[in-house]
C-alpha cells in the first residue's frame, strides 16, 4: 500500500465530537453489513456476483460526508456501502441483494445494480467503467441547465486502464464538467496488481495529458478523504474543474465473495488487515482523544448488530417479485408491443411445463 501524508490538524478542530461518532457508527455499520452479506451469500440467500467493501469503509464514509443533497453518485458494482452511507436504510439494500420486491431496485438488480432516485444514487454498473461516461454526461447536464451540485464517478483502480476513462477525462475538461473521478485504489484490479496492470501506477497522475488535476489521499483516514473531496468538490462546482482523487485503501478479501484470493500472499493480507483497518485506527484515535470510551464503542457495536439483523429479517420476510411483473421494468417509458402481464404468466407456465 502506497504511503500518503497524514493530516497534522488537531482532531477536534477537524470535526465535532458528534460528527466523529457518526462517522465511526457508519463505518462499523458498513463493516457488519458486508460481513453478514458474505454469510448470506454462503447460505444461498444471495445469488449472482457479490463484491464487498470490507476494508474500504473510511473511503466510503469520507466521500459521502463531503457531498450535498444536490450531488449525484455513479458507482461500480462494489457499491453496497455507498448507498447505505448516502442515507438509504440497510433493509431495502439487503432485500435487493436477496432479490426481493422491497429491494431498492425491486429485486431486479441484485448486488451490482443498486439504485435510489431520492438520494441521487444513480446505480452500480456491472460493466467495468460503464458508469464513467454517464457520470460525465450527468455533470454536463448540471452545467448546461445551471443547476447546483457535482457528480461523483466512483471506480476501481482497474477502470483507469480502459479507453472510456480517458475519453471521459478529455470531455470533462473540455466541457468544464463538475465531476470528480473518485478512484478506490485497493491495489488490485481483480487479481492483477496496479503495478502489473498500469504503466503509470500513480493513478492520480493519469489526467495529466488532459490537464485534469489529481491528488492522492489515505483511503483509511475518513477525515482525510472527507476534506479532500470537500475541497475539490467546491472547485468543481464553482469553476467547472474536474479532478481525480486516488484514494488508497486495502481490500480485506478477494475480488468477490467467490474469489479465494490465492494471488496474494496470505501473510501480507494478514498484516494488511492489521495495519490498514480503518475502523480499528479510528476507534483508537477517538479513544486517545477522549471522544469516546469503551462503553460507548460497545453500545455502538450492539446497535449495529441489531440493525444489520433487522435488515436480514426484513429481507427474509419480504415477498419475491410477482411473476406477472416479469416485463414491468424493461423500458423507462411505454414501448409498443411490450410483453404484458398475461404474457409473463404464460411464459412462466411454459417454463414449468404447464402448457
Amino acid at each position: 500500500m502506497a504511503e500518503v501524508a497524514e493530516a497534522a490538524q488537531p482532531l477536534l478542530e477537524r470535526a465535532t465530537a458528534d460528527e466523529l461518532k457518526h462517522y465511526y457508527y457508519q463505518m462499523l455499520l458498513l463493516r457488519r453489513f458486508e460481513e453478514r452479506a458474505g454469510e448470506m451469500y454462503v447460505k444461498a440467500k444471495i445469488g449472482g456476483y457479490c463484491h464487498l467493501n470490507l476494508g474500504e469503509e473510511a473511503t466510503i464514509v469520507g466521500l459521502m460526508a463531503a457531498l450535498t443533497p444536490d450531488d449525484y453518485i455513479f458507482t461500480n458494482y462494489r457499491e453496497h456501502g455507498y448507498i447505505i452511507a448516502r442515507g438509504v436504510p440497510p433493509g431495502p439494500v439487503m432485500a435487493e441483494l436477496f432479490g426481493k420486491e422491497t429491494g431498492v431496485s425491486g429485486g431486479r438488480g441484485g448486488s451490482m445494480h443498486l439504485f435510489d432516485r431520492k438520494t441521487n444514487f444513480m446505480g452500480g454498473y456491472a460493466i467495468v467503467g460503464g458508469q464513467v461516461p454517464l457520470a460525465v454526461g450527468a455533470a454536463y447536464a448540471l452545467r448546461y441547465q445551471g443547476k447546483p451540485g457535482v457528480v461523483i464517478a466512483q471506480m476501481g483502480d482497474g477502470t483507469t486502464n480502459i479507453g472510456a476513462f480517458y475519453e471521459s477525462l478529455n470531455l470533462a475538461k473540455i466541457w468544464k464538467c463538475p465531476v470528480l473521478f473518485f478512484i478506490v485504489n485497493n491495489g488490485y484490479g481483480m487479481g492483477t496488481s496496479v503495478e502489473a496492470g498500469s504503466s503509470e501506477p500513480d493513478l492520480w497522475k493519469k489526467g495529466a495529458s488532459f490537464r485534469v488535476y489529481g491528488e492522492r489521499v489515505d483511503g483509511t483516514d475518513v477525515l482525510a478523504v472527507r476534506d479532500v473531496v470537500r475541497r475539490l468538490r467546491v472547485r468543481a462546482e464553482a469553476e467547472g474543474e474536474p479532478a481525480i482523487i486516488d484514494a488508497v485503501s486495502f481490500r480485506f478479501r478477494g475480488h468477490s465473495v467467490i474469489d479465494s484470493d490465492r494471488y496474494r500472499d496470505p501473510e501480507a493480507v494478514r498484516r494488511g488487515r492489521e495495519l490498514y483497518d480503518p475502523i480499528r485506527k479510528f476507534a483508537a484515535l477517538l479513544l486517545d482523544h477522549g471522544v469516546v470510551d469503551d462503553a460507548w464503542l460497545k453500545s455502538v457495536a450492539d446497535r449495529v448488530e441489531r440493525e444489520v439483523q433487522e435488515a436480514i429479517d426484513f429481507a427474509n420476510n419480504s415477498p419475491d417479485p410477482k411473476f406477472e411483473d416479469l416485463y414491468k421494468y424493461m423500458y423507462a417509458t411505454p414501448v409498443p408491443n411490450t410483453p404484458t402481464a398475461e404474457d409473463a404468466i404464460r411464459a412462466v407456465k411454459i417454463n414449468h411445463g404447464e402448457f
Side-chain angles (χ1 to χ4, degrees):
M1 180 171 170
E3 295 296 326
V4 291
E6 295 184 1
Q9 189 179 5
L11 180 67
L12 289 174
E13 291 183 14
R14 301 175 67 194
T16 67
D18 286 343
E19 286 175 326
L20 296 169
K21 290 178 179 179
H22 183 62
Y23 297 157
Y24 180 83
Y25 156 73
Q26 282 191 308
M27 287 195 291
L28 189 61
L29 176 62
L30 303 190
R31 172 69 58 86
R32 289 302 294 143
F33 182 95
E34 294 290 64
E35 289 175 341
R36 295 301 304 277
E39 293 177 19
M40 295 302 105
Y41 192 93
V42 172
K43 293 180 179 180
K45 293 288 186 177
I46 299 172
Y49 289 104
C50 185
H51 307 80
L52 306 178
N53 292 126
L54 295 173
E56 301 173 359
E57 296 85 0
T59 302
I60 298 168
V61 173
L63 168 65
M64 292 303 176
L67 304 185
T68 75
D70 292 322
D71 298 335
Y72 288 77
I73 305 99
F74 289 75
T75 70
N76 64 4
Y77 43 76
R78 196 184 303 276
E79 85 277 41
H80 306 163
Y82 293 89
I83 193 170
I84 294 173
R86 185 60 173 169
V88 176
V93 179
M94 187 67 78
E96 187 60 38
L97 270 58
F98 278 42
K100 299 292 186 172
E101 184 74 38
T102 55
V104 292
S105 300
R108 276 77 170 176
S111 171
M112 297 197 289
H113 300 288
L114 306 178
F115 179 88
D116 185 68
R117 181 64 184 84
K118 293 179 181 178
T119 60
N120 292 342
F121 190 88
M122 296 290 101
Y125 289 79
I127 302 299
V128 173
Q131 74 278 17
V132 181
L134 297 178
V136 172
Y140 179 77
L142 288 179
R143 175 181 171 275
Y144 184 80
Q145 297 170 23
K147 292 182 177 180
V150 304
V151 179
I152 301 297
Q154 179 269 4
M155 69 198 80
D157 43 79
T159 297
T160 67
N161 297 322
I162 70 170
F165 174 65
Y166 296 97
E167 294 171 356
S168 297
L169 287 172
N170 189 44
L171 289 178
K173 183 66 177 183
I174 291 172
W175 291 342
K176 299 183 71 66
C177 295
V179 58
L180 299 180
F181 299 91
F182 190 82
I183 305 166
V184 183
N185 182 358
N186 59 32
Y188 283 84
M190 296 188 71
T192 303
S193 71
V194 170
E195 292 75 14
S198 176
S199 60
E200 176 50 87
D202 292 332
L203 305 184
W204 58 276
K205 297 179 180 178
K206 287 196 168 187
S209 61
F210 305 102
R211 299 183 179 180
V212 173
Y213 176 78
E215 192 166 330
R216 172 174 283 172
V217 64
D218 181 356
T220 69
D221 183 336
V222 63
L223 296 179
V225 175
R226 183 202 63 180
D227 293 347
V228 167
V229 175
R230 276 183 177 173
R231 173 164 45 82
L232 295 181
R233 184 206 167 280
V234 170
R235 178 176 176 269
E237 184 174 37
E239 304 173 23
E241 284 291 344
I244 294 173
I245 298 172
D246 180 6
V248 182
S249 63
F250 185 82
R251 195 180 74 194
F252 275 25
R253 298 186 183 178
H255 175 71
S256 69
V257 175
I258 61 172
D259 179 4
S260 60
D261 203 12
R262 294 179 180 176
Y263 43 84
R264 294 196 294 180
D265 175 44
E267 179 59 23
V269 173
R270 185 194 66 78
R271 288 197 310 270
R273 289 178 179 176
E274 290 182 359
L275 292 173
Y276 305 121
D277 185 339
I279 297 176
R280 183 182 301 176
K281 287 173 58 177
F282 199 55
L285 187 67
L286 298 183
L287 287 168
D288 289 345
H289 286 76
V291 178
V292 303
D293 55 23
D294 289 329
W296 184 87
L297 292 175
K298 184 180 185 307
S299 69
V300 171
D302 292 342
R303 173 188 172 186
V304 164
E305 288 300 323
R306 289 194 303 271
E307 292 180 356
V308 175
Q309 185 58 52
E310 288 170 0
I312 293 171
D313 294 341
F314 174 79
N316 265 324
N317 296 325
S318 293
D320 295 325
K322 300 180 181 66
F323 286 134
E324 55 266 33
D325 291 339
L326 181 64
Y327 303 115
K328 186 175 181 180
Y329 299 110
M330 289 178 62
Y331 301 100
T333 55
V335 174
N337 302 316
T338 300
T340 64
E342 290 75 18
D343 294 326
I345 294 174
R346 187 179 301 111
V348 170
K349 288 183 177 180
I350 292 173
N351 187 54
H352 289 175
E354 298 180 24
F355 277 119

